[in-house]
Amino acid sequence: MTTSTLAAADTAPMIRLRGVSKWYGDFQVLKKIDFEVARGERVVICGPSGSGKSTLIRCINRLEDHRDGEILVNGVTLDHSMRSVAAVRQDVGMVFQQFNLFPHLTVLQNLMIAPMKIKGVSKDEAEATAREYLLRVRIGEQAHKYPGELSGGQQQRVAIARALCMKPTAMLFDEPTSALDPEMIKEVLDVIVELAGQGMTMVCVTHEMAFARTVADRILFMDKGEIVEEAPPEAFFTNPRNERTKAFLGQILHR
Amino acid sequence: MDKIVENYFNLQVMVEAFPTVLGGFGLTVLVSILVIILGIGVGLGFAVLHCMNSRALSAAIVVYVDLFRTLPQLVVIIFVYFGLPYAGLALSPFATTVVALALVLSAFATEIFHSAIRAVPRGQWEASEALGFTYFRALFLIVLPQAIRLAIPLLTNRAIAISKGTALGTAVALPETLGQAQSVMAIVANPSPLTLAAAFYLTFFIPLVIASRWVERKFSPRSR
Ligand SMILES: Nc1ncnc2c1ncn2[C@@H]1O[C@H](COP(=O)(O)OP(=O)(O)O)[C@@H](O)[C@H]1O
Ligand SMILES: [Mg+2]
């Protein structure tokens, strides 16, 4: 790579969607979505259930395929080729609502398997990295337990560490605290806030508005497959322009 | 009471029958072990092929599974023994029993493994793919190890049930436990050798059942 293309890669958006549409049968889940995330930017997506938030972020690492439009991730255009999908998945980590840890592997093995099998990292190196990230998500002592022996909050922190062990350049979070008991939400959000502070590019679907306010550079509101509002947190909360955003915020903030 | 002891627990008859029945018992164990290894191995292979997104292959596997799950074991044994020679493949009674019972067990095992693979939550596939595993690696490294754990209880039950079918080998003159006991019984005109055969079955199948419970416990999904 020459210096000029490197420089271009640095200023180009980490994630860019242009006119992305997707259908489930006759039902259009995504309607011509235009959406960019700059390097190091933190974007929060909110919106009513069924509005297409999960579908949107799952298109970014091709857990779902889109029909129209273009998706570019870290300079790679997503298409049907295995190579583009593999490249994008190496760059982008994902954390799910239901954690999805591998129940037959210990915490440490959960963190080591992908770096070893996919990147060909040596066992010692994979273990060193895994232990480092376990400390960062504050579960250093649980390395040899199985996921089923951990609380939901601990499992989700392991899931975050597992994604980080692949050294992604961006992270996707799909309602990472929605399946958690209230008293465990904070321990997970704290880890994500810390990650944001270290400059990780992230897209997070969440309804934790206090978290969104501290962490987000930009908040997107989705409804019926469209992005209907897009603003920095202050403007988003104090001066929403769209009626649907106002109604949604009214519901979610005054509960 | 004396009649019962005389007929079913006649020590002298049992002692005489012992070497013959023991020989049959060795064969029963050998056939059972081969059937379990072949049946489960082939079943696992077919279940994996079933996941390869090939319509033709999957359709063929479904026909195979339904055929051998439905036919009585004795019919399969007789077909293999008396039918295959017409196709130029004559098998010994031993090979016949092993092949026929392995066919049946493999059909059940294919179905059990395949259901178990499908019972692994979708989130496991998604997490694997999001980390960058290809479909095959996700299947072999993440999904299959979990599916095998789910399959073990069903599989051990079925394997034991089908291993007991070794007694059907008598139909093609396989000198296994029960057949040997019956031939001695016919000579001495006393059914005590059957008791001996029953004792042998117990010495084999009780440890097998215990071993299967142990395997089940060892591999059961861990939880809080
Ligand atoms: N596999 C699918 N098949 C059909 N419809 C689906 C599928 N997945 C999601 N949907 C529908 O698409 C819409 C958007 O889903 P989703 O992206 O999960 O919404 P959100 O995450 O905002 O709650 C919903 O109406 C949902 O019912
Ligand atoms: Mg969702």
Side-chain angles (χ1 to χ4, degrees):
Chain A
M1 223 192 278
T2 65
T3 343
S4 65
T5 55
L6 259 177
D10 276 348
T11 51
M14 177 68 208
I15 300 166
R16 190 183 72 203
L17 279 70
R18 277 201 186 148
V20 170
S21 293
K22 177 175 174 64
W23 284 260
Y24 286 118
D26 290 339
F27 174 68
Q28 188 169 5
V29 242
L30 297 180
K31 298 172 184 162
K32 290 205 185 304
I33 299 278
D34 291 311
F35 169 50
E36 277 193 11
V37 184
R39 258 155 231 285
E41 197 183 14
R42 280 97 36 165
V43 177
V44 159
I45 303 177
C46 60
S49 168
S51 56
K53 307 178 299 294
S54 295
T55 308
L56 172 61
I57 73 166
R58 289 157 61 88
C59 281
I60 296 172
N61 65 351
R62 216 183 177 78
L63 287 185
E64 304 284 351
D65 53 352
H66 58 289
R67 198 176 89 187
D68 292 348
E70 185 194 63
I71 300 180
L72 197 79
V73 181
N74 205 9
V76 176
T77 303
L78 263 179
D79 53 32
H80 286 286
S81 74
M82 298 251 287
R83 185 136 52 97
S84 75
V85 176
V88 167
R89 287 178 180 166
Q90 285 241 355
D91 277 344
V92 179
M94 188 172 212
V95 173
F96 301 85
Q97 186 175 341
Q98 299 296 341
F99 332 135
N100 296 343
L101 293 178
F102 304 135
H104 62 299
L105 302 178
T106 63
V107 165
L108 202 57
Q109 291 167 336
N110 262 276
L111 269 58
M112 290 164 60
I113 190 167
M116 285 170 61
K117 300 291 179 184
I118 296 165
K119 287 187 158 176
V121 169
S122 74
K123 187 161 182 282
D124 290 346
E125 195 187 330
E127 180 166 345
T129 310
R131 288 193 183 275
E132 181 193 324
Y133 280 109
L134 279 180
L135 284 178
R136 288 195 14 201
V137 301
R138 301 179 197 101
I139 357 200
E141 340 68 64
Q142 321 275 17
H144 294 290
K145 288 196 175 165
Y146 284 86
E149 300 170 318
L150 303 181
S151 73
Q154 291 172 326
Q155 289 191 52
Q156 192 61 300
R157 285 182 284 145
V158 172
I160 294 170
R162 178 177 68 178
L164 293 175
C165 280
M166 287 298 280
K167 308 266 168 82
T169 40
M171 287 281 287
L172 308 173
F173 295 86
D174 192 359
E175 305 206 29
T177 57
S178 298
L180 296 175
D181 294 335
E183 71 272 18
M184 294 171 185
I185 292 178
K186 187 170 178 300
E187 65 189 48
V188 172
L189 292 181
D190 285 350
V191 165
I192 303 177
V193 171
E194 201 176 301
L195 195 59
Q198 291 156 357
M200 175 66 78
T201 307
M202 54 172 75
V203 180
C204 182
V205 176
T206 183
H207 290 151
E208 296 294 331
M209 288 302 152
F211 161 79
R213 201 188 274 269
T214 47
V215 112
D217 297 308
R218 203 149 40 98
I219 303 182
L220 267 57
F221 176 73
M222 276 187 84
D223 191 28
K224 302 199 173 81
E226 292 173 308
I227 296 173
V228 297
E229 181 119 18
E230 185 170 352
E234 265 321 297
F236 186 84
F237 289 113
T238 54
N239 191 21
R241 278 162 303 179
N242 190 287
E243 285 309 316
R244 287 186 269 177
T245 318
K246 285 180 192 168
F248 178 77
L249 282 175
Q251 273 175 18
I252 210 160
L253 295 175
H254 301 117
R255 262 194 315 216
Chain B
M1 190 65 199
D2 281 354
K3 270 252 159 70
I4 292 181
V5 173
E6 159 87 29
N7 279 322
Y8 290 92
F9 298 96
N10 191 317
L11 220 57
Q12 201 194 333
V13 173
M14 283 201 224
V15 168
E16 277 170 32
F18 191 86
T20 319
V21 180
L22 180 66
F25 178 64
L27 212 53
T28 296
V29 172
L30 187 60
V31 170
S32 298
I33 288 171
L34 287 174
V35 166
I36 291 172
I37 291 171
L38 287 173
I40 290 179
V42 170
L44 184 59
F46 279 6
V48 167
L49 291 177
H50 205 343
C51 294
M52 292 295 135
N53 290 324
S54 155
R55 285 240 180 111
L57 201 57
S58 289
I61 290 171
V62 168
V63 170
Y64 175 89
V65 166
D66 285 348
L67 183 69
F68 288 106
R69 278 201 311 176
T70 319
L71 288 176
Q73 292 170 26
L74 186 58
V75 172
V76 180
I77 290 175
I78 288 174
F79 178 80
V80 168
Y81 193 66
F82 296 103
L84 281 190
Y86 292 108
L89 194 64
L91 296 180
S92 68
F94 176 79
T96 296
T97 313
V98 169
V99 166
L101 295 181
L103 282 171
V104 175
L105 181 55
S106 71
F108 281 99
T110 302
E111 180 61 23
I112 290 170
F113 280 125
H114 187 239
S115 311
I117 289 170
R118 295 209 318 205
V120 172
R122 253 179 73 86
Q124 293 292 311
W125 287 100
E126 292 177 352
S128 313
E129 285 174 10
L131 282 168
F133 287 106
T134 59
Y135 178 81
F136 286 95
R137 288 184 144 190
L139 177 62
F140 284 105
L141 294 171
I142 305 298
V143 175
L144 216 48
Q146 295 179 54
I148 289 171
R149 282 168 174 76
L150 292 173
I152 280 174
L154 294 167
L155 224 44
T156 51
N157 284 342
R158 188 54 69 177
I160 289 170
I162 290 172
S163 302
K164 285 190 214 157
T166 45
L168 298 170
T170 8
V172 292
L174 178 75
E176 50 69 62
T177 318
L178 191 65
Q180 294 300 82
Q182 275 175 325
S183 58
V184 179
M185 188 174 94
I187 296 165
V188 299
N190 179 304
S192 292
L194 276 185
T195 311
L196 193 61
F200 274 124
Y201 275 112
L202 289 178
T203 58
F204 179 48
F205 284 103
I206 286 181
L208 206 57
V209 170
I210 291 172
S212 80
R213 291 239 174 83
W214 180 82
V215 170
E216 274 168 39
R217 232 178 307 120
K218 179 128 203 301
F219 289 102
S220 69
R222 286 157 217 265
S223 58
R224 279 151 74 74

